[in-house]
Amino acid sequence: MNGAPDLKSDPDPQAEPESLEQFLQRMRYRLKLVLRLCNIPSQDAEDLLQDTFVEVLRKWDTLYNKEGWVLGTLRYKCTKYWKDQRADPVEGMDPTALEVLCPPLPPLQEKQDEARDLHNLLRPLEKRHRQALWLRFALGFSPQEVADRLGYCPSSIRKLTLRSMSRIRRRSSRRAAPEPEVPDLDLD
């Protein structure tokens, strides 16, 4: 053949044993082929090869058919890789789908500013209106949770929230309305 020792037949006691580096050079194409056939992403292929060769190094002297053992171990690790990917819903999901399901959170400072603004808006309201709006919008409770917390019926929380919001709108529109311009009657 090409001068490389044949590891499948009985090794020649006179021949020099093949080094790991020579073995890797000879197996390079077949290892790439297994990874390609198993459709392993390039960023994970190196990890699978490293895991396989850690096992090879542990058992190097005891292996009879090194090629078969390496290829079989790599195939096993590729199969396990895809099984693990399917079992982990986060890893198996498309990153854009993950962003839709869980959008990025605003920075903590922004959330604190919003809470401070809401607190300032709620200050002139009655206590029950303040509580309902704070639980609903600052703490993110559902209407059912707000009703349970305040001892109201869930349908009345919706009404209470709408009334509170309309009061806030009226107050802010009064503040924002410009004062009527008074004409200057001094015609001197």
Side-chain angles (χ1 to χ4, degrees):
M1 287 210 226
N2 61 2
D6 186 11
L7 296 176
K8 292 182 183 176
S9 63
D10 290 331
D12 182 15
Q14 307 296 336
E16 190 174 310
E18 183 178 31
S19 71
L20 183 59
E21 188 175 331
Q22 292 168 337
F23 178 75
L24 285 174
Q25 283 295 77
R26 190 167 46 85
M27 293 289 296
R28 185 181 193 95
Y29 174 75
R30 293 174 72 187
L31 294 170
K32 284 183 177 181
L33 186 63
V34 169
L35 292 169
R36 195 173 307 129
L37 289 173
C38 292
N39 202 20
I40 303 295
S42 60
Q43 65 268 19
D44 296 327
E46 186 177 338
D47 293 339
L48 291 176
L49 280 171
Q50 285 177 359
D51 291 346
T52 300
F53 279 99
V54 165
E55 296 294 320
V56 167
L57 288 174
R58 286 186 189 148
K59 301 179 183 198
W60 182 255
D61 293 330
T62 61
L63 296 175
Y64 174 72
N65 182 356
K66 292 178 170 84
E67 286 181 26
W69 196 90
V70 168
L71 292 173
T73 302
L74 184 58
R75 280 189 208 105
Y76 169 76
K77 291 200 178 284
C78 290
T79 304
K80 189 173 180 319
Y81 168 83
W82 284 116
K83 194 180 287 188
D84 291 345
Q85 290 293 316
R86 284 189 300 271
D88 187 6
V90 175
E91 287 294 325
M93 219 175 231
D94 182 36
T96 53
L98 279 176
E99 284 190 27
V100 169
L101 290 174
C102 184
L105 296 175
L108 181 60
Q109 182 181 1
E110 187 177 313
K111 188 71 174 163
Q112 289 171 341
D113 290 344
E114 288 174 5
R116 191 176 310 110
D117 291 343
L118 182 61
H119 180 69
N120 290 337
L121 279 173
L122 299 180
R123 192 175 298 152
L125 296 177
E126 297 174 28
K127 182 179 179 180
R128 67 189 184 118
H129 292 274
R130 276 196 316 263
Q131 288 176 331
L133 290 178
W134 186 259
L135 290 172
R136 183 77 177 102
F137 298 109
L139 301 180
F141 284 22
S142 69
Q144 179 66 44
E145 291 170 325
V146 174
D148 293 342
R149 201 42 94 89
L150 298 178
Y152 289 110
C153 172
S155 61
S156 65
I157 291 299
R158 183 173 182 273
K159 292 176 193 173
L160 184 65
T161 304
L162 291 173
R163 286 183 192 141
S164 303
M165 295 298 289
S166 68
R167 287 181 184 168
I168 289 173
R169 272 191 222 103
R170 274 189 302 220
R171 268 204 177 86
S172 62
S173 67
R174 271 190 245 142
R175 275 191 238 154
E179 293 184 21
E181 198 173 306
V182 178
D184 187 15
L185 297 178
D186 189 20
L187 300 174
D188 287 305

